[in-house]
Structures are given as structure tokens and as C-alpha cells.
Amino acid sequence: MRNLRQYSKYLRYTIIFALIIIAAAVVVNLLLSELEERLISTNQDLCIKYLDSLNAAGETEIRMLGDEGILLERDLSATQGRKLDERLTKISESLLCNENGIEGGFYLLLQDDFFGYAFPTSPPPVPVYGPPPRSYKIIKDQLIESIFSDSLIVGLHSFNAATFPLATRPVYYRSEAVGATWVRIHIEKELPIIKLKQILYLSALVAIAGFVVLMVVYSVWAGEIRGIKKELQLVSSGTPLKLKERWGIFKYISQSVNSMLETIEKEDRQKQELEKKLIQKEKMASLGRVIAGVAHEVKTPLAIIKTRIQMWQRDIEKHPEMSEYISTDSLELVIDETNRLSSLVDRLLIFSRPIKNMLKPSDINILLEDVLKILDYENNDSGILVLRKLDQDIPLISLDENSIKQVLINILNNSYESMPAGGRIVVETYLKEKEEQVFIEITDEGSGIPQEAIEEIFVPFFTLKESGVGLGLAISDQIIKAHNGEIILMNNDPGGVKCIIKLPVKQ
């Protein structure tokens, strides 16, 4: 409805503009027509004036030529024709020499030819004989009509760029019309009004057409601008939206705005990711400080307990009768549990212990082979096939070998445990020179990771295993980050998990 009202407004503007142009054209046309008529009338009167003079002056000469018999001869000799033309020309030239652009002469019916033709004020070239070819027939036709109608005829003629009024009147010998006089004056130079009319009509049409085109273009542009404004309002309100494709300059605007929106969206995602990483880093740093303090407090009592138990074991060996109250097996169990607690504390210390001082150039393929030998031996009857795709051209990289082995063992153990019925594990290494990173990919055919757990998989103490502690992947993540690398876990299509470990070539 709004678009319909908008288009109606543009239509009204167009009609009003067209009416104004048409009214102006009509008024100017009337003024030009009046001026044209006045100019034509003035020149026609001028032609009649000179025609009357020429007719009066020619009466005597026509009578003399008739009396001499020359006028009544149909076939004149060259001498007679020249004599006749010279005598009539003197009359024409003497009368027409005072008005610029005027010309005229005589036409004799019996000889069917022009005589006494004069154009004393016209520029060269001079016609050899008679009026110019383009106006010859026009003048002759009006002369004959004037003779046979026995009347004065004043006409307005034009062809190509020439416009002229023409006046003709019969001449008599012994009361019989033997010919006619004619006078014309070219007024195309004084009559630009005709051209002005044409220009006026053309200008009016061009103006109306131009305004219509302008209104159409403005209407389309206004619609596009309103569309962009509406879409930008939606974007500013938080609606995830891209501007639709448009044409012309609006295409450039839409593409520029979309590019800006994509950049802003990308920066927002990066900001959120950085904030998330910063929060995680702060959490891990806080956790590391807490763990370091707790571990320090726990390790000493554990060491004392273990030492005391070992002393009791030695006492029992010296005094067998004491085994009646405390068995060696129970003490061994206490020592094992103490060792397990101590090992857990050591693992927790990964969160607070720097490893950069323990880096040395290492071959990642050799580390993988060492880990796979251990796991292949431990899982000999699991029905799992390990496929190796190791790039032998990978350069040595700086690693803490024991820490990286621990990471590889954690990842591969998870893959083994996810396939109790057997399957395949693909271990691949390769180098991306442009990124200056070594990639380790471990892909299994296990049950995968629930989608809701992907975001929490590296959080300490988060586990999907019934008997798990939830430190393996968290520790692995910390180790890889300490190497300035990245570890990514994702579900693989059609099934299983793919783990990608990225390690920089240069630390």
C-alpha cells in the first residue's frame, strides 16, 4: 500500500510537470506563430508593392515589344531573345535594387520562358538564365495560374531550407494577358521561427520524457534506499541479516555493507573466542595455583605416610609375630594407594609446572612409533588395526618428549577404549610449510563424542568414563598449549573421533 501511494505521488508530479511544459509550449508556440504570421504578412506586402511597381513599369515596354512584333512571335531568334531579355532586365534591376533579398522578372506565355530575371541584391553565383532550378517550377506554376485566373496571387512557398512569399500578376497587350510579372523575397534568414517551433516541440518532448525517466529512476532509487534503510534497522536491532543483492550503485553499497557486516561478525566471533580463551586461561591459572598449593601440602604427608609404612614393613620382617596384627599385604596395599595418590599429585602439577626448559629437538615420528609399540603390546588381542601414514620429511621440532608421549598415550588410549569390538586407527603426520606447523592426526572408528560434550572435553575433571578422573585430556591440552600448539577433537564422518594436534616447527 505504501509503495502504491509513493508511485501515485510520482505520477502526480509527472502529470503536473507535463502540463506545465505543454502549457508553456502552447503559449510560446502561439507567440511564435503570431510573430511568424506578422513577418510573412509584412514580406508578402513588400512583394506586392514591388510587383505593382514592376507591373506598372513594364506596361509601356510590353506595349512597345508587342508593337514591334517581337512579343507575339513564338519562336524568337537568339538575337531577338537577347534583345527582349535585356530590355526587360533593365526595368527589373532598376526597381528591385533597393530591397535586400528580393528578386523578380517577367514570364511570357507565348514563348513559355522567363525574361528580365533580376536579383540585384543576391550574392553570387548568378544563374545563367532564369530562376534557380529548385524554384523554377514553383514560380512557373503560380505564374500560369495567375495568367489563367486573371488575378493577383500571393503565395508562401518553401523547400529544404528556403522559404519565400511569391506574388504574381498578369501583364496585358491590347487587353489580352500575354504573360505575368513575379516578385519574391527569401525570408528564411529572417524567419528562424519555424526552426524555433521544431526545437520547441522537440525540447518539450525531451523535457517530459526526461522528467518521466527521472521520476522512474528516482522512484526506483527511493525504493532501494528505503529497502537498505529497513534492512539496516533490522541489523541494528540485532537481527543477523545480510543486505540483498541489488543493481547499479546500490549493488556496490550492498556489497560494501555486507562486507562490513561480515567483518564485524568475524571480529565479534574472534572477540568471543579470545574472551573464552582468556577466561579459560585465567581458570586454568587459578586452578594451577590452587593445585600447586594443595599438592605441596599433600605430598609431604603422603611421603611421611609412605616412609612410616615402609618402616613398619621392615619391623614386621624383623618381628614376624607382629603380622598377627598387621599383614604385609595390607601394608603393601596402603603403599600402592599412597603411590597412586602421589602419581595423581604429579599429574596435577602439570597445570602449574613450566616445561619450556625441558625442550629438545625431537623426531615426532619416532615418538609415535615408541608409543604405538607400547600400546600395541598392551592391546595385542583387541582386534584393532593401526594404520601409519608418517611423513618422513618432517623436520625435527623442539619438544618435551615425555610430555608429548603422555599426550599421545592419552589420545590413543581413548581411541582404543572407544572400540571394544575392534576397528581401525589411522595415525598420520604431515608438514604445512606455509603455516610452519607439523600436524598429527589420529582418527578412530569408535562411538564418537556427544555433541553437548565437545565444548567441555578439555575442562579438568570432566569425564565421560565411569571410572575416569577427567584429567587426561585436560593435561594433554595444557601440554600442547605449553608447546605453543593446538589440540582439536571433533567427530569424524561417518563415525569415530578425529584428533588433530598442531605443533610449531620453531619455538
Side-chain angles (χ1 to χ4, degrees):
M1 183 62 70
R2 183 178 178 182
N3 287 339
L4 184 60
R5 288 198 301 269
Q6 197 73 24
Y7 292 140
S8 298
K9 181 176 73 173
Y10 297 143
L11 181 60
R12 288 197 301 272
Y13 290 161
T14 303
I15 293 173
I16 291 171
F17 181 81
L19 291 175
I20 292 172
I21 293 295
I22 292 171
V26 169
V27 171
V28 174
N29 181 63
L30 290 174
L31 293 174
L32 291 176
S33 297
E34 184 180 350
L35 182 60
E36 179 183 358
E37 290 175 2
R38 190 180 304 123
L39 183 60
I40 291 172
S41 176
T42 300
N43 281 277
Q44 285 178 334
D45 291 343
L46 189 63
C47 287
I48 294 172
K49 171 188 171 184
Y50 280 96
L51 180 69
D52 290 342
S53 300
L54 184 62
N55 202 273
E59 284 182 1
T60 303
E61 193 65 35
I62 290 294
R63 187 172 57 254
M64 291 173 62
L65 290 170
D67 292 343
E68 294 174 11
I70 298 176
L71 189 65
L72 301 177
E73 291 187 18
R74 183 181 299 275
D75 297 321
L76 299 174
S77 66
T79 302
Q80 289 175 323
R82 186 166 55 253
K83 181 180 179 181
L84 177 60
D85 184 62
E86 288 175 354
R87 290 169 66 176
L88 293 177
T89 300
K90 287 180 182 180
I91 299 172
S92 301
E93 287 184 345
S94 64
L95 292 174
L96 304 180
C97 64
N98 297 321
E99 190 69 31
N100 187 38
I102 200 164
E103 57 185 303
F106 296 83
Y107 171 77
L108 298 180
L109 185 60
L110 191 60
Q111 286 78 24
D112 189 24
D113 206 349
F114 288 89
F115 294 93
Y117 173 55
F119 50 103
T121 59
S122 298
V126 177
V128 175
Y129 188 73
R134 287 183 298 177
S135 54
Y136 186 98
K137 187 175 185 307
I138 296 173
I139 298 172
K140 182 179 177 181
D141 288 345
Q142 185 173 322
L143 284 165
I144 293 173
E145 182 182 356
S146 185
I147 292 170
F148 284 104
S149 64
D150 193 22
S151 62
L152 167 68
I153 297 177
V154 182
L156 179 68
H157 303 279
S158 63
F159 60 89
N160 295 337
T163 302
F164 57 91
L166 173 64
T168 56
R169 184 192 296 274
V171 292
Y172 302 93
Y173 176 70
R174 295 181 181 177
S175 302
E176 182 180 352
V178 293
T181 54
W182 64 276
V183 172
R184 71 170 177 174
I185 183 169
H186 284 272
I187 59 173
E188 60 268 6
K189 293 182 181 179
E190 292 84 9
L191 195 65
I193 300 163
I194 297 174
K195 292 183 179 179
L196 285 176
K197 282 184 177 180
Q198 296 172 349
I199 294 172
L200 176 65
Y201 296 147
L202 181 61
S203 299
L205 289 174
V206 170
I208 293 172
F211 190 80
V212 170
V213 172
L214 179 62
M215 286 293 98
V216 171
V217 171
Y218 179 77
S219 172
V220 174
W221 281 19
E224 294 291 344
I225 291 171
R226 286 195 301 272
I228 291 175
K229 182 180 178 181
K230 184 177 180 180
E231 291 171 9
L232 288 175
Q233 287 174 344
L234 291 174
V235 171
S236 64
S237 66
T239 304
L241 177 72
K242 285 186 178 180
L243 271 61
K244 69 177 184 180
E245 286 293 326
R246 288 179 165 83
W247 58 275
I249 188 173
F250 297 104
K251 180 178 181 181
Y252 173 76
I253 293 173
S254 297
Q255 289 177 345
S256 300
V257 172
N258 285 337
S259 178
M260 180 184 68
L261 292 175
E262 288 174 1
T263 302
I264 293 173
E265 185 179 353
K266 182 179 179 181
E267 289 177 351
D268 285 343
R269 287 198 303 268
Q270 291 176 344
K271 181 181 177 181
Q272 292 173 2
E273 290 175 2
L274 288 173
E275 289 176 349
K276 186 176 179 180
K277 289 180 180 179
L278 181 60
I279 292 171
Q280 181 68 15
K281 188 174 182 180
E282 290 176 351
K283 285 170 61 178
M284 298 305 293
S286 299
L287 180 62
R289 289 192 293 271
V290 172
I291 289 174
V294 172
H296 178 73
E297 295 298 325
V298 171
K299 283 197 67 129
T300 300
L302 284 176
I304 294 172
I305 291 170
K306 182 177 178 180
T307 302
R308 181 59 63 183
I309 295 299
Q310 288 173 338
M311 289 175 61
W312 288 351
Q313 281 182 320
R314 286 194 295 272
D315 289 343
I316 290 173
E317 289 175 357
K318 293 178 181 179
H319 304 284
E321 66 276 8
M322 294 179 64
S323 61
E324 183 179 349
Y325 304 101
I326 302 174
S327 68
T328 304
D329 291 339
S330 62
L331 292 177
E332 190 66 36
L333 179 60
V334 173
I335 290 174
D336 288 343
E337 292 302 312
T338 303
N339 286 336
R340 194 171 71 85
L341 287 173
S342 181
S343 173
L344 177 60
V345 171
D346 287 337
R347 292 170 67 190
L348 287 172
L349 285 173
I350 291 290
F351 290 101
S352 60
R353 183 191 306 150
I355 64 171
K356 291 188 177 180
N357 294 332
M358 296 178 280
L359 302 180
K360 66 176 183 178
S362 306
D363 188 329
I364 194 66
N365 290 334
I366 293 176
L367 292 182
L368 269 169
E369 288 290 358
D370 291 344
V371 171
L372 289 172
K373 285 178 183 177
I374 296 171
L375 295 177
D376 286 346
Y377 178 78
E378 292 178 354
N379 300 278
N380 191 31
D381 298 327
S382 62
I384 293 175
L385 175 64
V386 179
L387 300 178
R388 296 165 172 80
K389 297 180 180 179
L390 307 181
D391 186 353
Q392 301 302 321
D393 295 327
I394 289 178
L396 298 178
I397 55 177
S398 296
L399 303 172
D400 177 356
E401 292 186 355
N402 289 330
S403 297
I404 295 298
K405 281 184 179 180
Q406 183 178 350
V407 172
L408 296 174
I409 289 172
N410 286 337
I411 300 299
L412 285 164
N413 264 335
N414 287 339
S415 294
Y416 274 99
E417 291 172 3
S418 68
M419 297 187 295
R424 294 193 312 169
I425 298 175
V426 180
V427 180
E428 183 177 2
T429 60
Y430 55 90
L431 171 68
K432 286 191 176 181
E433 294 183 2
K434 290 184 178 180
E435 299 180 19
E436 295 186 339
Q437 287 183 320
V438 170
F439 283 68
I440 305 169
E441 286 189 11
I442 300 172
T443 308
D444 62 49
E445 298 175 346
S447 55
I449 304 171
Q451 195 61 38
E452 64 273 11
I454 290 287
E455 297 293 327
E456 305 292 330
I457 203 70
F458 293 116
V459 175
F461 305 110
F462 175 84
T463 182
L464 296 173
K465 301 176 185 177
E466 293 182 1
S467 59
V469 178
L471 288 175
L473 290 177
I475 290 171
S476 299
D477 184 46
Q478 287 300 110
I479 291 172
I480 297 301
K481 285 180 178 177
H483 284 80
N484 297 318
E486 183 181 7
I487 182 169
I488 302 170
L489 279 176
M490 65 182 73
N491 285 315
N492 193 36
D493 190 20
V497 173
K498 176 182 282 189
C499 175
I500 302 173
I501 300 172
K502 302 177 185 179
L503 293 169
V505 174
K506 298 177 182 178
Q507 290 288 351

